[in-house]
Amino acid sequence: PNAPIVIGTPSTQTVTIIDDERVPTVTLSVGSATLSEAAGTTSVTATLDIRSAFDVTVTLGAAGTAKEGIDYTVPTTIIIPAGVLSYSVTVEAIDESPTLFEGDETVDLAIVSAIDPNAPIVMGTPSSQTVTIIDNESIPVVTLSTNSSSITEGLGTTSTSVTATLNGRSGFDVTVTLGTAGTATKDADYTVPTTIVISTETLSAFVTLAAIDEIPTLDELNETVDLSILSATDPNAPIVVGTPSTQTVTIIDDERVP
């Protein structure tokens, strides 16, 4: 009441209130492990085991055989609001080409990091999930054809195309393996590759069967080449072998009878 009192040093102090709750642990889950390529969706949920007083930012990583932005979309972060235990985002499949067979593809999701403004969040188990996008196109069927059923040994039409055809496009190169039989001898009476490769997103490819006139003055009987599809595969799955899967080409002898 008589006079102001002088304020000395220190005149301030800081007291820290120690939080007795541990740092939250975050885990990852999905609503479904599979979704249809045709507009299929599923939830991806980040869940804390105890609430945080801050927004928690969970950063997601994506890998797998499916391509982000082409086969599916998913946000790169999940933000769990302060005081909330979980939050979800959506994985949505993209049917980028409704007539293209790709096979089932996987989306591998994982928590890359989880932080709030105060501290990193502990990553628990599971911290990753795999979602399979089920292809809604049928496996293609392959058939075999030739441009001509006969060729000549030395004169005229001495070759023909051998074509493998799919009834629907594939998202992969398709390798068709050919088998040969008949009365003609391969590499003596004719040549033909052992495989036909149908390039990605195309319906057909061909190789050439060419006659060899191994002895131009030798009279021989007409000979046959029996072609067949032994197998057809892409890197994802076997291709169905349809009908016809065989063709016969006759090599006509062009020498006169002695």
Side-chain angles (χ1 to χ4, degrees), residues 161-193:
S161 59
V162 181
T163 303
T165 302
L166 299 173
N167 69 340
R169 296 178 303 147
S170 173
F172 309 91
D173 287 353
V174 174
T175 300
V176 179
T177 302
L178 294 178
T180 56
T183 58
T185 301
K186 188 173 184 293
D187 297 326
D189 297 310
Y190 66 94
T191 60
V192 67

Side-chain angles (χ1 to χ4, degrees), residues 25-52:
T25 298
V26 64
T27 56
L28 196 68
S29 62
V30 292
S32 175
T34 61
L35 61 133
S36 170
E37 185 182 39
T41 62
T42 189
S43 60
V44 182
T45 304
T47 302
L48 300 173
D49 64 340
I50 58 174
R51 293 176 301 155
S52 172

Side-chain angles (χ1 to χ4, degrees), residues 62-193:
T65 57
K67 297 178 179 64
E68 187 176 0
I70 296 176
D71 298 308
Y72 68 94
T73 59
V74 66
T76 56
T77 58
I78 303 174
I79 298 177
I80 306 173
V84 176
L85 285 175
S86 66
Y87 199 79
S88 300
V89 294
T90 300
V91 177
E92 183 172 358
I94 301 171
D95 193 2
E96 78 276 17
S97 182
T99 60
L100 179 66
F101 172 74
E102 298 176 283
D104 299 343
E105 298 175 296
T106 57
V107 182
D108 298 329
L109 299 168
I111 297 175
V112 176
S113 65
I115 58 172
D116 67 25
N118 195 46
I121 302 299
V122 176
M123 278 193 279
T125 302
S127 63
S128 62
Q129 295 288 339
T130 296
V131 176
T132 301
I133 301 174
I134 306 299
D135 191 11
N136 61 338
E137 279 79 47
S138 299
I139 296 174
V141 176
V142 64
T143 55
L144 194 68
S145 63
T146 57
N147 187 52
S148 176
S149 60
S150 65
I151 57 178
T152 58
E153 192 176 52
L155 298 173
T157 303
T158 59
S159 64
T160 184
S161 59
V162 181
T163 303
T165 302
L166 299 173
N167 69 340
R169 296 178 303 147
S170 173
F172 309 91
D173 287 353
V174 174
T175 300
V176 179
T177 302
L178 294 178
T180 56
T183 58
T185 301
K186 188 173 184 293
D187 297 326
D189 297 310
Y190 66 94
T191 60
V192 67

Side-chain angles (χ1 to χ4, degrees), residues 7 20 28 36 54 103 112 136 142 220 222 225 249:
I7 300 174
D20 60 356
L28 196 68
S36 170
F54 308 93
V112 176
N136 61 338
V142 64
E220 300 177 283
N222 295 341
V225 182
V249 176

